[in-house]
């Protein structure tokens, strides 16, 4: 089955700096890569996603890049703000059975 | 658009007791998922329904966990009997395609 690895497990950044989270996946058939943000005690919320026919996608301060050859994808948050503090999960999804495999999560802390 | 609804939000039981969780997905979403999220980990899929049929229950501990989705809409997840290691947040999600919309979850504590 699909195996998703996520690094780092924790990330502390100064407000205004950038944060980068990296994930790798094992099954080259995966074609959909969502990122979820989970604040303490709340549900995971989709913040951005990318499909395998696209190399990069941006939404305001958030961007995701995908390298299909290397089977890795990354989340970039620019100009971080305290409200960006949360746990971020990457995931990879196979096309046929929609099986979604999650990474272990990255706890991001933005220092004011 | 209404979101995924779950109840109860919190439940505390003693080991060996039974518990049931309820989920109402987003209207029109054919696929419904139950995930278990242990503190500090990512969500782990327990069972996936497509309408009222089971697509994947390979990680469901079937000796104690059961789930059903009658009429292809609401779903219930039951644990009987509960163990200490079942303490977790149980998340329901629904989707029309590959994305997932999660409900608020039920936080289960087994004492």
């Amino acid at each position: 089955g699909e195996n998703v690895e996520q690094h780092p497990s924790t990330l502390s950044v100064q407000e205004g700096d950038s944060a980068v989270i990296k994930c790798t996946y094992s099954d080259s058939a995966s074609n959909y890569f969502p990122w979820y943000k989970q604040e303490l005690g709340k549900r995971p919320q989709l913040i951005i996603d990318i499909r395998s026919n696209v190399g990069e996608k941006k939404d305001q301060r958030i961007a995701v890049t995908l390298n299909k050859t290397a089977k890795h994808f990354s989340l970039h948050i620019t100009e971080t703000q305290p409200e960006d503090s949360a746990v971020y999960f990457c995931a990879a999804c196979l096309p046929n059975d929609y099986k979604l495999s999650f990474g272990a999560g990255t706890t991001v802390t933005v220092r004011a | 658009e209404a979101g995924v609804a779950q109840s109860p939000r919190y439940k505390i039981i003693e080991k060996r007791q039974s518990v049931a969780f309820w989920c109402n997905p987003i209207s029109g979403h054919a696929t419904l998922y139950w995930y278990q999220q242990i503190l500090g980990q990512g969500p782990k899929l327990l069972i996936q329904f497509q309408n009222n049929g089971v697509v994947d229950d390979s990680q469901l501990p079937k000796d104690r966990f059961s789930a059903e989705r009658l009429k292809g809409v609401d779903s219930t997840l039951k644990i009987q009997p509960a163990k200490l290691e079942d303490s977790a947040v149980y998340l329901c999600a629904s989707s029309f395609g590959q994305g997932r919309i999660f409900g608020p979850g039920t936080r289960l504590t087994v004492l």
Side-chain angles (χ1 to χ4, degrees), chain A residues 31 38 43 51 98-99, chain B residues 37 42 56 98 100 102-103:
Chain A
N31 69 339
Q38 188 172 29
R43 75 191 78 186
R51 297 197 177 273
Y98 292 174
K99 194 157 191 169
Chain B
Q37 187 174 26
D56 183 358
Q98 288 181 293
R100 305 282 191 276
F102 285 91

Side-chain angles (χ1 to χ4, degrees), chain A residues 38-52:
Chain A
Q38 188 172 29
E39 295 177 59
L40 190 62
K42 297 191 176 181
R43 75 191 78 186
Q45 291 201 303
L46 179 70
I47 56 171
I48 195 167
D49 55 14
I50 191 168
R51 297 197 177 273
S52 57

Side-chain angles (χ1 to χ4, degrees), chain B residues 94-108:
Chain B
S94 69
S95 71
F96 183 73
Q98 288 181 293
R100 305 282 191 276
I101 304 296
F102 285 91
T106 297
R107 183 175 298 277
L108 174 67

Side-chain angles (χ1 to χ4, degrees), chain A residues 31-32 34 36 38 41-46 51 89 93-100 102-105, chain B residues 4 9 31 33 35 37 40-43 45 48 55-56 58 91 96-100 102-104 107:
Chain A
N31 69 339
Y32 173 67
Y36 288 87
Q38 188 172 29
K42 297 191 176 181
R43 75 191 78 186
Q45 291 201 303
L46 179 70
R51 297 197 177 273
F89 292 98
C93 190
L94 292 167
N96 295 328
D97 57 11
Y98 292 174
K99 194 157 191 169
L100 190 68
F102 285 88
Chain B
V4 177
R9 294 294 312 278
T31 312
Y33 314 81
Y35 288 88
Q37 187 174 26
Q41 299 181 17
L45 180 69
Q48 175 181 339
V55 173
D56 183 358
S58 58
L91 294 162
F96 183 73
Q98 288 181 293
R100 305 282 191 276
F102 285 91
R107 183 175 298 277

Side-chain angles (χ1 to χ4, degrees), chain A residues 41-98:
Chain A
K42 297 191 176 181
R43 75 191 78 186
Q45 291 201 303
L46 179 70
I47 56 171
I48 195 167
D49 55 14
I50 191 168
R51 297 197 177 273
S52 57
N53 58 346
V54 175
E56 184 175 3
K57 184 176 178 180
K58 287 184 180 179
D59 182 2
Q60 299 181 350
R61 297 185 296 106
I62 293 173
V64 59
T65 59
L66 171 65
N67 183 325
K68 286 189 298 182
T69 303
K71 290 190 284 188
H72 66 71
F73 55 114
S74 301
L75 179 72
H76 304 250
I77 307 173
T78 58
E79 301 172 21
T80 53
Q81 300 169 4
E83 53 264 38
D84 295 329
S85 295
V87 180
Y88 291 80
F89 292 98
C90 64
C93 190
L94 292 167
N96 295 328
D97 57 11
Y98 292 174

